[in-house]
Amino acid sequence: MHMLKVAVAGASGYAGAEVLRWLLRHPDVEIGAVTAGSNAGSTLTSIHPHLFGLEDRILEDTTASVFDGHDAVVLALPHGHSAALAAELPEGTVVVDCGADFRLRDETAWTTFYDTPYAGSWAYGLPELPLAEGGSGRHALEGATRVAVPGCYPTAVTLALAPGLAAAVVEPDDVVVVAASGTSGAGRAVKPHLLGSEVMGSMSPYGIGGVHRHTPEIEQNLSAAAGSDVTVSFTPTLAPMPRGILATCTARLVPGTTADEVREAWRTAYEDEPFVHVLDAGTWPTTAQVLGSNHVAIQVAVDERVGRVVAVAAVDNLAKGTAGAAVQCLNLATGQPETTGLAGAGVAP
Amino acid sequence: MHMLKVAVAGASGYAGAEVLRWLLRHPDVEIGAVTAGSNAGSTLTSIHPHLFGLEDRILEDTTASVFDGHDAVVLALPHGHSAALAAELPEGTVVVDCGADFRLRDETAWTTFYDTPYAGSWAYGLPELPLAEGGSGRHALEGATRVAVPGCYPTAVTLALAPGLAAAVVEPDDVVVVAASGTSGAGRAVKPHLLGSEVMGSMSPYGIGGVHRHTPEIEQNLSAAAGSDVTVSFTPTLAPMPRGILATCTARLVPGTTADEVREAWRTAYEDEPFVHVLDAGTWPTTAQVLGSNHVAIQVAVDERVGRVVAVAAVDNLAKGTAGAAVQCLNLATGQPETTGLAGAGVAP
Amino acid sequence: MHMLKVAVAGASGYAGAEVLRWLLRHPDVEIGAVTAGSNAGSTLTSIHPHLFGLEDRILEDTTASVFDGHDAVVLALPHGHSAALAAELPEGTVVVDCGADFRLRDETAWTTFYDTPYAGSWAYGLPELPLAEGGSGRHALEGATRVAVPGCYPTAVTLALAPGLAAAVVEPDDVVVVAASGTSGAGRAVKPHLLGSEVMGSMSPYGIGGVHRHTPEIEQNLSAAAGSDVTVSFTPTLAPMPRGILATCTARLVPGTTADEVREAWRTAYEDEPFVHVLDAGTWPTTAQVLGSNHVAIQVAVDERVGRVVAVAAVDNLAKGTAGAAVQCLNLATGQPETTGLAGAGVAP
Amino acid sequence: MHMLKVAVAGASGYAGAEVLRWLLRHPDVEIGAVTAGSNAGSTLTSIHPHLFGLEDRILEDTTASVFDGHDAVVLALPHGHSAALAAELPEGTVVVDCGADFRLRDETAWTTFYDTPYAGSWAYGLPELPLAEGGSGRHALEGATRVAVPGCYPTAVTLALAPGLAAAVVEPDDVVVVAASGTSGAGRAVKPHLLGSEVMGSMSPYGIGGVHRHTPEIEQNLSAAAGSDVTVSFTPTLAPMPRGILATCTARLVPGTTADEVREAWRTAYEDEPFVHVLDAGTWPTTAQVLGSNHVAIQVAVDERVGRVVAVAAVDNLAKGTAGAAVQCLNLATGQPETTGLAGAGVAP
């Protein structure tokens, strides 16, 4: 088939590098321009030495003209930068944004958590999202030319809990989520608390009290699944590992629901999904089993004593949590098979 | 002063070794017998090569006569083994049990979670526990000759959340806890999922659905703080670090309570405690900051949007979570200053 | 093209699982039988939960008849088991052995380090090995039906140092190697010193004094590069990471040789190699940059003060160090392009 | 006894914090001023939250007058800053410098590796150093008022190899050392390659080719042990752990020497040392066994095949490698028992 020429804007960060790692494996993609901000002019591999195969690439400035002649552009920019660039790109160019700018449909939710102007919303890039009205998030992505890739935490939490809300076996209020993320989720910014010396061997929370920016996106997704407003107590924690999110999510069981009905809700939601796996009863998801892959591992159980369902999901925050999802959306947008270039198991042990 | 002669029963495991590490630092303790089960006959340092200063010690069989002439015996045995041994020890000998056998006051709670006969309950070794009726858990320990050291998770969860229950600023029902533990919490048993190859870089839950044995102990403590029955949804997870527990605990805010009132409840509960520290607002506890120490770091915040309090505690599961607490109880039981041999900061970075 | 039907014997270990991970990505391979020893009868994913896509597979007993109808069989068995099985497989079946049994050409070297009978030697699976007589190890592998995959340490050490020996810019005697390996190199055996609790945060040597079994294989390879006998002081160490080898190798500089000549020897040795990369001066190889990939990163420098060359290589012990090499050899043996199914960058950060 | 009032200059870095951690445990020390450079004015615990017990301390500017009235000052400053400050401190004040400024006795060695003027040399703070003429480095430290604490690598390498040189069982030329260090050795500076995301799961070398600044100090120490010039090929590597150094050191065996003679040389060198331990044959040092302690674990073996001795030492780079040594020197300088405040086992697992 025609090779898609794909550029990456913001290739000096971890998300941009991971997009390139996936594009290198994609059989129908030719990697075009790679751009950066302050790192423009450097070689790509001076910053990302693992990208063998792209040793000759120089990071260019992120200006619209650089993307002329590309079929698609993946944006991996700091939040607040995507709208201006996207406005200058041709309508027919597929733009897939890994940033937050176009994820939220509610302007108030945006302005409560972000300090830049609201930019609007694009097709939301979570094909597997089970919807209250039936169907999934996939339909909105087929043939889309503007796609907002979900945040890493929202991907994990949404996939963990949405089946129970869509099937009305858990209550929509009083959802509690505690999630652990690897350090790459904090990006490549150099801050003392992200130094290896401080991170290794240490767990810590951050954003206690519902202040994390991913909260409204989680609520938006779970509300779409429930068909009614869902509010979430969300506490993110930092774990001593480079990659991976483990999201532990609990919601109150709808009285009278059996454990079998719960399990069936999850099983049917994902039975045809290539990347989302409800594990056999008695086995627990690990972030190791999805490392470097586009897979999601999920388990769900009922705590009868307290009347709560506990659902846990493991994802790779940079893969299915960001760049793998971007490529999955790119496939849907450009009419290729959804799994092209995304197959393959996680790197374990 | 008179040197206390202290023995350790079950010194081949991680808990027993950690008790010895603390006793080595105690100015008023002489280390007596060290015993083991299947490892009896081996040198102590062939199993625990970090215990410099005890290179000449041979692990003896765990039989009562070995403990003749000791002022105190610390038990670090598999559950179900403490009662028989304790029955053979003189009443005047101080016995401090790091195991679960004598922690639960309710026989039904024991039999629901354990497979050995109920042994009764001893003075509960959490001096800092704020009680509903006022005061703390300290009084019961002064001069006690039989003490049950709390489990590591119950220590972290209880200290995190009890102030709010004792002050009636959070609701006693619908408590949700997700806690991450380092791998030493699983002991020295060799199982594939505890191999370094499988653990490093990986987070995973275990015991999803309220089945962890520490659940009734957590509920017992929180109920003592609240003065009414507390039920808890508890999910433990395994984190890629050798030591440390980070417990993220949420409970519903009593309507009308302000954030200042919440903060004040925690501050006053621990203002005179030498080992429990409520951090300055805006800073988060890390397990690194308490590594190898008897300190506990706590933070609390209110999530107004969802009406929940989030309290987080960091402890070293083997130190304040087990062996440090054992020495603290030993001090209280024998009339020494409570902090003797326990001072000192965590090993960071 | 014709799909190759490939079986894996010994799929319950880390090496076997990694072979499957690579075969899943290979466009021209159909995965056939997967077998095990004591784990026969279990599902593959109960042991290796990351192998999504093979959830339906049951581990069969490792008997020759299981492999009927396969084009190739990859062996990942404990040492001493390959010969008997290989003898029962048809001559035309390509057999690629990840074990040690057929690596050594010298019977005395074998019997000095191993306790099972000498089985002979097969084509040695290191295509990139520069030979004293010119050319590389590739020729012997094209069309071979029996191939011995190199050990992980020998791969790293040989690729690091062989160019200097082949170009006669370093002396063949007095080679000193210290290498650090991730814990997966020790396999999936459960031993206390391999527990996560003991490994995380810890470096330790093992096999001090030249007793590691990979020593004669390293000497065999370096001797082939030098055209004369090379002896090596080899000390392996265990590093707190699941995967990766960093081999630091030093040899005495041939007097009068310049740093440029040294660098040129390495550059020319690998200039046409797709997987072996001599890094730009001033950058250092990291095991992270090759994680999960078939790439090798190498740097070399001259220490003029002491007259030694220092060459360092980073490989993934399970990938290029074992399973990636096995697939590379399979490609060469079956006439496919050597890089088929092996492209792609490491998983970083 | 009289409490010593001790200040720490440069308390915002890892070395300064570790000095404070040890001083907190010292029974005869009162902690005086704590100072910093750009962090002056901040609270100490905002930077080092593990230092419970010092929550009220504010970092002062590092000016000489701050240290009035102190018995001793420990310097933990960037290199090049110690001389000017020390010149302003009273001669009778004990000054212990954790930096490099006063370690080297040879001006040329200094100027080859450092870019600031040569400041001279002070008493060298390695009491256990076995000297060629007999005796140890301890004598020079008793009653000293100016002490240079050794570098972390030199401590590990010197203690590993010096016994063999002092006993003339290994050759002084052609020493090869490869050492792995935890990341705290690189300090608290924020650089991308020290981020947790890049460090965890990764080994890498740095300073290939004999360019590391600790090289001349290692050679100075080993030459003092040998009684003749020793040159060393030294390659440092970065390991994925916060603390710890594992130094693997090899030297050529003096022909005709037996393995027993080698072992005896090491045993006798350290038989009376409280902190340096030659392990039983067949056991290997681990950095975990000395974590947070002032102990050093050493093993030595002979590789008869190649005629080399391999000696390996494990130390905690911040403890015995820096701050523990500083306190040990402080004890010797002020006439206290050498081990005061330094006893205690490492934090393992």
Side-chain angles (χ1 to χ4, degrees):
Chain A
M1 79 169 269
H2 163 70
M3 292 290 274
L4 285 173
K5 188 170 179 184
V6 182
V8 176
S12 60
Y14 291 150
E18 180 74 356
V19 171
L20 288 167
R21 188 176 76 85
W22 285 100
L23 293 179
L24 275 168
R25 288 179 52 179
H26 198 293
D28 303 320
V29 163
E30 172 198 348
I31 296 176
V34 291
T35 78
S38 60
N39 288 296
S42 301
T43 61
L44 177 67
T45 52
S46 68
I47 296 175
H48 302 301
H50 62 298
L51 292 178
F52 293 115
L54 299 172
E55 288 94 335
D56 58 330
R57 297 307 182 93
I58 308 288
L59 290 162
E60 301 180 72
D61 276 312
T62 307
T63 53
S65 61
V66 166
F67 306 108
D68 287 352
H70 289 76
D71 298 295
V73 181
V74 182
L75 310 183
L77 303 169
H79 79 85
H81 287 67
S82 295
L85 178 58
E88 294 189 70
L89 298 175
E91 281 188 23
T93 303
V94 172
V95 182
V96 177
D97 186 10
C98 295
D101 294 23
F102 294 98
R103 290 176 192 156
L104 296 182
R105 284 191 294 274
D106 180 61
E107 180 166 355
T108 304
W110 175 270
T111 54
T112 304
F113 285 87
Y114 291 90
D115 53 4
T116 54
Y118 181 61
S121 69
W122 287 353
Y124 189 75
L126 192 58
E128 302 90 347
L129 174 63
L131 298 175
E133 66 265 29
S136 73
R138 182 166 285 109
H139 185 69
L141 295 162
E142 291 163 350
T145 55
R146 294 290 184 274
V147 178
V149 176
C152 50
Y153 283 122
T155 295
V157 175
T158 304
L159 294 175
L161 212 48
L165 291 160
V169 297
V170 299
E171 305 279 6
D173 62 318
D174 205 23
V175 170
V176 177
V177 173
V178 178
S181 173
T183 54
S184 62
R188 204 167 158 270
V190 280
K191 298 170 187 169
H193 78 286
L194 296 175
L195 282 174
S197 298
E198 316 238 347
V199 164
M200 288 186 282
S202 192
M203 291 282 306
S204 61
Y206 61 97
I208 296 178
V211 302
H212 194 281
R213 285 172 169 169
H214 283 172
T215 307
E217 186 183 347
I218 293 170
E219 293 181 343
Q220 172 177 290
N221 294 351
L222 295 184
S223 298
S228 62
D229 282 355
V230 175
T231 54
V232 176
S233 163
F234 172 55
T235 305
T237 66
L238 196 65
M241 56 191 191
R243 290 185 178 221
I245 286 180
L246 187 82
T248 303
C249 312
T250 86
R252 280 207 301 265
L253 186 68
V254 169
T257 312
T258 68
D260 281 353
E261 287 166 339
V262 167
R263 194 157 184 83
E264 187 63 12
W266 264 258
R267 204 189 59 71
T268 55
Y270 298 131
E271 65 189 337
D272 296 328
E273 291 298 341
F275 296 120
V276 184
H277 310 270
V278 180
L279 302 183
D280 289 345
T283 61
W284 317 119
T286 72
T287 61
Q289 83 187 114
V290 297
L291 177 71
S293 86
N294 205 48
H295 293 291
V296 183
I298 292 178
Q299 185 55 284
V300 63
V302 176
D303 185 345
E304 311 266 9
R305 286 177 58 261
V306 300
R308 277 191 169 266
V309 167
V310 182
V312 183
V315 305
D316 182 320
N317 58 303
L318 287 177
K320 177 57 177 167
T322 306
V327 173
Q328 193 176 349
C329 292
L330 182 69
N331 286 340
L332 286 166
T334 57
Q336 297 175 92
E338 187 175 338
T339 60
T340 308
L342 292 167
V347 178
Chain B
M1 77 169 272
H2 163 69
M3 292 289 276
L4 285 173
K5 189 170 179 185
V6 183
V8 176
S12 60
Y14 290 149
E18 180 74 357
V19 171
L20 289 167
R21 187 175 76 83
W22 285 101
L23 293 180
L24 275 167
R25 288 180 51 180
H26 198 292
D28 304 320
V29 163
E30 172 199 349
I31 296 176
V34 291
T35 77
S38 60
N39 288 298
S42 301
T43 61
L44 177 67
T45 52
S46 68
I47 296 175
H48 302 301
H50 62 298
L51 292 178
F52 293 116
L54 298 173
E55 288 94 336
D56 57 330
R57 299 305 183 93
I58 307 289
L59 291 162
E60 301 180 72
D61 276 312
T62 307
T63 53
S65 60
V66 167
F67 306 108
D68 286 352
H70 288 76
D71 298 296
V73 182
V74 181
L75 311 183
L77 303 168
H79 80 83
H81 287 67
S82 296
L85 179 58
E88 294 189 69
L89 298 176
E91 281 189 23
T93 303
V94 172
V95 182
V96 177
D97 186 10
C98 296
D101 294 24
F102 294 98
R103 290 177 193 156
L104 296 182
R105 285 191 293 274
D106 181 62
E107 180 165 356
T108 304
W110 174 270
T111 53
T112 303
F113 284 86
Y114 291 90
D115 53 3
T116 54
Y118 180 60
S121 67
W122 288 352
Y124 188 74
L126 192 58
E128 302 91 347
L129 174 63
L131 299 175
E133 64 267 27
S136 73
R138 182 167 285 111
H139 185 68
L141 296 162
E142 290 164 350
T145 55
R146 294 290 184 273
V147 178
V149 176
C152 49
Y153 282 123
T155 295
V157 175
T158 303
L159 294 175
L161 212 46
L165 292 160
V169 297
V170 301
E171 306 277 7
D173 62 317
D174 205 24
V175 170
V176 176
V177 174
V178 178
S181 173
T183 54
S184 61
R188 205 167 159 269
V190 282
K191 298 170 186 168
H193 79 285
L194 295 175
L195 283 173
S197 298
E198 316 237 347
V199 164
M200 288 186 282
S202 191
M203 291 282 307
S204 61
Y206 61 97
I208 297 178
V211 301
H212 194 281
R213 285 171 168 172
H214 282 173
T215 307
E217 187 183 347
I218 293 170
E219 293 181 345
Q220 173 176 290
N221 295 351
L222 295 183
S223 298
S228 63
D229 282 355
V230 175
T231 54
V232 177
S233 164
F234 173 55
T235 305
T237 66
L238 196 65
M241 55 191 191
R243 288 184 178 222
I245 286 181
L246 187 81
T248 303
C249 313
T250 87
R252 280 206 301 264
L253 186 68
V254 169
T257 313
T258 68
D260 281 352
E261 288 165 338
V262 166
R263 194 155 184 84
E264 187 63 12
W266 263 257
R267 204 188 60 71
T268 56
Y270 299 130
E271 62 188 339
D272 295 327
E273 290 297 343
F275 297 120
V276 184
H277 311 269
V278 180
L279 303 183
D280 289 344
T283 62
W284 318 118
T286 72
T287 61
Q289 82 186 115
V290 297
L291 177 70
S293 86
N294 204 49
H295 293 291
V296 182
I298 292 179
Q299 185 55 284
V300 63
V302 175
D303 185 345
E304 312 265 9
R305 288 177 57 262
V306 301
R308 277 191 170 265
V309 166
V310 182
V312 183
V315 306
D316 181 322
N317 58 303
L318 287 177
K320 177 59 176 168
T322 306
V327 172
Q328 193 176 348
C329 292
L330 182 68
N331 286 340
L332 286 166
T334 59
Q336 298 175 91
E338 187 174 338
T339 61
T340 308
L342 292 168
V347 179
Chain C
M1 80 168 270
H2 164 70
M3 293 289 275
L4 285 173
K5 189 171 179 184
V6 182
V8 176
S12 60
Y14 290 150
E18 180 74 356
V19 170
L20 288 167
R21 187 176 75 85
W22 284 100
L23 294 179
L24 274 168
R25 289 180 51 181
H26 198 293
D28 304 320
V29 162
E30 172 198 349
I31 296 175
V34 291
T35 78
S38 60
N39 287 297
S42 301
T43 61
L44 177 66
T45 52
S46 67
I47 296 174
H48 302 300
H50 63 296
L51 293 178
F52 293 116
L54 298 172
E55 288 94 334
D56 57 331
R57 298 305 182 94
I58 308 287
L59 291 162
E60 301 180 72
D61 278 310
T62 306
T63 53
S65 60
V66 166
F67 305 108
D68 286 353
H70 288 76
D71 299 295
V73 182
V74 181
L75 311 183
L77 303 169
H79 79 84
H81 287 66
S82 295
L85 178 59
E88 294 189 69
L89 299 175
E91 282 188 23
T93 303
V94 172
V95 182
V96 177
D97 186 10
C98 296
D101 295 22
F102 294 98
R103 291 177 191 156
L104 296 182
R105 283 190 296 274
D106 180 61
E107 181 165 356
T108 304
W110 175 270
T111 53
T112 304
F113 285 85
Y114 291 90
D115 53 3
T116 54
Y118 180 61
S121 68
W122 288 352
Y124 189 74
L126 191 58
E128 302 90 348
L129 174 63
L131 299 174
E133 66 266 27
S136 74
R138 181 167 285 111
H139 185 69
L141 295 162
E142 292 164 348
T145 55
R146 294 291 184 272
V147 178
V149 176
C152 50
Y153 282 122
T155 295
V157 175
T158 303
L159 293 175
L161 212 47
L165 291 160
V169 297
V170 299
E171 305 278 6
D173 62 317
D174 204 25
V175 170
V176 177
V177 174
V178 178
S181 173
T183 53
S184 62
R188 205 166 157 270
V190 281
K191 298 170 187 168
H193 79 284
L194 296 176
L195 283 174
S197 298
E198 316 239 345
V199 164
M200 287 185 283
S202 191
M203 290 282 306
S204 60
Y206 60 98
I208 297 178
V211 301
H212 193 281
R213 285 173 168 169
H214 283 172
T215 307
E217 186 183 346
I218 292 170
E219 293 181 344
Q220 173 177 290
N221 294 351
L222 295 184
S223 298
S228 63
D229 282 355
V230 176
T231 54
V232 177
S233 163
F234 173 56
T235 306
T237 66
L238 195 66
M241 55 190 191
R243 289 185 178 220
I245 286 180
L246 187 82
T248 303
C249 312
T250 87
R252 280 206 301 265
L253 186 67
V254 169
T257 312
T258 67
D260 280 352
E261 286 166 339
V262 166
R263 196 157 182 82
E264 187 64 12
W266 265 257
R267 205 190 57 72
T268 55
Y270 299 131
E271 64 188 340
D272 296 328
E273 291 297 342
F275 297 120
V276 184
H277 310 271
V278 180
L279 302 184
D280 290 344
T283 62
W284 318 119
T286 72
T287 60
Q289 83 186 113
V290 297
L291 177 70
S293 86
N294 205 49
H295 293 291
V296 183
I298 292 178
Q299 185 54 285
V300 63
V302 176
D303 185 346
E304 310 267 10
R305 287 177 57 262
V306 301
R308 277 191 170 266
V309 167
V310 182
V312 183
V315 305
D316 181 321
N317 59 303
L318 286 177
K320 177 58 178 169
T322 306
V327 172
Q328 193 177 348
C329 292
L330 182 70
N331 286 340
L332 286 166
T334 58
Q336 297 175 90
E338 186 174 339
T339 61
T340 307
L342 293 168
V347 178
Chain D
M1 77 169 272
H2 164 70
M3 293 288 278
L4 286 172
K5 189 169 178 185
V6 183
V8 176
S12 61
Y14 291 150
E18 181 73 357
V19 171
L20 288 167
R21 188 176 76 84
W22 285 101
L23 294 180
L24 275 168
R25 288 180 51 180
H26 198 293
D28 305 319
V29 163
E30 173 198 348
I31 296 175
V34 291
T35 78
S38 60
N39 288 297
S42 301
T43 62
L44 178 66
T45 52
S46 68
I47 296 175
H48 302 301
H50 62 297
L51 293 178
F52 294 115
L54 299 173
E55 287 94 335
D56 58 331
R57 299 304 183 94
I58 308 287
L59 291 162
E60 300 180 74
D61 277 311
T62 308
T63 53
S65 61
V66 167
F67 306 108
D68 286 352
H70 289 76
D71 298 295
V73 182
V74 182
L75 311 183
L77 303 168
H79 80 84
H81 287 66
S82 296
L85 179 59
E88 294 189 69
L89 298 176
E91 281 188 23
T93 303
V94 172
V95 182
V96 177
D97 186 9
C98 296
D101 294 23
F102 294 98
R103 291 177 192 156
L104 296 182
R105 285 191 294 274
D106 181 61
E107 181 165 355
T108 304
W110 175 270
T111 53
T112 303
F113 284 87
Y114 291 89
D115 53 3
T116 54
Y118 180 61
S121 68
W122 288 352
Y124 188 74
L126 192 59
E128 302 91 346
L129 174 64
L131 299 175
E133 64 267 26
S136 73
R138 181 166 286 108
H139 185 69
L141 295 163
E142 291 164 349
T145 55
R146 294 290 184 272
V147 178
V149 176
C152 50
Y153 283 123
T155 296
V157 175
T158 303
L159 293 176
L161 212 47
L165 291 161
V169 297
V170 300
E171 306 277 7
D173 63 316
D174 205 25
V175 170
V176 176
V177 174
V178 178
S181 173
T183 53
S184 62
R188 203 166 159 272
V190 281
K191 297 171 187 167
H193 79 286
L194 296 175
L195 284 173
S197 299
E198 316 237 347
V199 164
M200 288 186 281
S202 191
M203 291 283 306
S204 61
Y206 61 98
I208 297 179
V211 300
H212 194 281
R213 286 172 168 169
H214 283 172
T215 307
E217 186 183 347
I218 293 170
E219 292 181 344
Q220 173 177 288
N221 294 352
L222 295 184
S223 298
S228 63
D229 282 355
V230 175
T231 53
V232 176
S233 163
F234 173 55
T235 305
T237 66
L238 195 66
M241 55 192 190
R243 289 186 178 222
I245 286 180
L246 187 83
T248 303
C249 313
T250 87
R252 279 206 302 263
L253 186 68
V254 169
T257 312
T258 68
D260 281 352
E261 288 165 339
V262 167
R263 195 158 184 82
E264 187 63 11
W266 264 257
R267 205 189 58 73
T268 56
Y270 298 131
E271 62 188 340
D272 296 327
E273 290 297 343
F275 297 121
V276 184
H277 310 270
V278 180
L279 303 183
D280 290 343
T283 62
W284 317 118
T286 72
T287 61
Q289 83 185 114
V290 296
L291 177 71
S293 86
N294 204 49
H295 293 291
V296 182
I298 291 179
Q299 185 54 284
V300 62
V302 176
D303 185 345
E304 311 266 10
R305 288 177 57 261
V306 301
R308 277 191 170 266
V309 166
V310 182
V312 182
V315 305
D316 181 322
N317 58 304
L318 287 177
K320 177 58 176 167
T322 304
V327 172
Q328 193 177 348
C329 292
L330 182 68
N331 286 340
L332 286 165
T334 58
Q336 298 176 92
E338 186 174 338
T339 61
T340 308
L342 292 168
V347 178

